[in-house]
Amino acid sequence: MDAVTNLTSERVKRLETELLKLPQAAIVTEHIFGCGVYERKITIPPWTILTGAEHKTAYRVRVEKGTIAVTTDAGVKILTAPATFDAPAGAQRAGRVFDNEVVWVDIYDNPDNCTDISVLESRLYVVPDIGLANSRTAVQKAHVDYGAFLFQMGMNQNDMDAIVKIETDVINMPKDYAVELKESPIHGKGLFAQQAFRVGDVVCPGRVKGCRTLGGRFINHAYEANIKPVMVADDIYAVATREIQPGEELLVDYRASMRVNFGLALPGELL
């Protein structure tokens, strides 16, 4: 990496640090899989300023819609759709969208047809601690709404931590459920999918015979959840409310958990 590239990367990193102090843009990410190919498509709102992750591999870019100014080693370039170009490994870019949304697609070789997003991200990017753009937005929203939930309950984080640390009613996750416990970008540890789930699929139990599983103990909160608690007899199961990809964190609205577990209806639950 030459001196010009180093200078550009350092400026992008400084910009990224400042942008993370601001509300995050609602960037929509779509994952597309073909034979030997993985495409990551993002739709960026008008007037957004953003930074990308540093890439570990070379890749191809396709701009499908809109106009964007992008940093390169040769300076800032204006790209207007339709446009394609090849990008080298090591590139980290900053971009500025104008008055219309931009659809930007990164295209990667995927020789083993991997569909696990967390595996692909670790292969392709130097992922910042806060995650990629879509993760940043989701994390920020989850934190804000979690604070609202605690306020509704008259609780604070210390109260919640004390509940999580109780182990007397915790049992191991029953076999044959494709979930795993990992560090979460939202808070502490979280539960993650190891396979794809469709709407209505039972993902895992949260409570069995009055005892919490790892799901009941560690699934984190989000207003825009991807699972919901469903009671079957006296047990509670996590059921997918939308399609879930392998490697995706499982998230539930704690208001729904309070309603199903204790019959407590709190304002704001997304039904």
Side-chain angles (χ1 to χ4, degrees):
M1 186 181 289
D2 60 27
V4 173
T5 304
N6 266 319
L7 181 59
T8 300
S9 295
E10 286 304 313
R11 287 174 173 171
V12 171
K13 290 183 188 300
R14 290 200 297 271
L15 174 62
E16 181 177 69
T17 298
E18 295 305 312
L19 290 176
L20 287 173
K21 300 175 183 177
L22 303 173
Q24 300 300 296
I27 296 173
V28 177
T29 303
E30 181 181 358
H31 307 281
I32 302 167
F33 300 96
C35 185
V37 176
Y38 163 57
E39 296 187 1
R40 188 183 188 97
K41 177 187 287 190
I42 59 173
T43 301
I44 314 166
W47 306 115
T48 297
I49 298 174
L50 73 162
T51 60
E54 181 180 340
H55 284 69
K56 295 180 180 179
T57 66
Y59 60 106
R60 189 165 182 78
V61 173
R62 183 173 68 244
V63 183
E64 294 185 347
K65 182 181 179 182
T67 298
I68 185 170
V70 180
T71 59
T72 73
D73 296 343
V76 176
K77 291 189 176 181
I78 306 295
L79 302 174
T80 298
T84 59
F85 65 92
D86 293 317
Q92 182 177 16
R93 307 181 189 283
R96 190 258 196 172
V97 178
F98 295 92
D99 56 347
N100 291 302
E101 71 176 16
V102 164
V103 177
W104 176 288
V105 185
D106 289 334
I107 307 165
Y108 307 94
D109 290 335
N110 186 20
D112 61 350
N113 291 311
C114 177
T115 59
D116 187 321
I117 301 303
S118 62
V119 171
L120 287 168
E121 289 180 347
S122 66
R123 287 180 185 175
L124 299 173
Y125 313 114
V126 180
V127 181
D129 291 339
I130 192 61
L132 301 176
N134 56 312
S135 299
R136 298 170 194 171
T137 305
V139 168
Q140 191 171 62
K141 287 182 178 179
H143 285 170
V144 170
D145 193 60
Y146 177 66
F149 166 77
L150 290 180
F151 178 78
Q152 288 177 312
M153 293 294 295
M155 301 172 65
N156 58 38
Q157 186 57 52
N158 290 335
D159 298 328
M160 288 298 293
D161 288 342
I163 293 172
V164 171
K165 290 176 182 177
I166 296 172
E167 298 183 345
T168 53
D169 67 335
V170 175
I171 59 173
N172 291 329
M173 180 66 71
K175 294 181 179 179
D176 301 325
Y177 290 99
V179 295
E180 63 178 333
L181 191 66
K182 298 195 301 185
E183 295 296 323
S184 167
I186 292 177
H187 179 75
K189 292 185 181 296
L191 207 65
F192 291 76
Q194 291 181 304
Q195 68 173 48
F197 293 97
R198 296 173 297 180
V199 176
D201 284 351
V202 174
V203 178
C204 68
R207 190 180 74 193
V208 177
K209 296 180 180 180
C211 294
R212 290 180 297 161
T213 68
L214 293 180
R217 184 182 182 189
F218 286 108
I219 290 178
N220 278 317
H221 168 85
Y223 177 68
E224 297 174 349
N226 54 19
I227 60 171
K228 64 180 180 181
V230 174
M231 184 169 286
V232 180
D234 292 327
D235 298 334
I236 296 177
Y237 290 85
V239 174
T241 57
R242 62 168 175 77
E243 291 189 357
I244 299 173
Q245 298 297 324
E248 188 174 347
E249 183 169 4
L250 304 173
L251 300 168
V252 67
D253 185 345
Y254 283 177
R255 299 177 186 87
S257 298
M258 297 303 296
R259 174 176 51 80
V260 172
N261 276 279
F262 308 110
L264 179 61
L266 295 173
E269 182 184 346
L270 187 63
L271 298 173

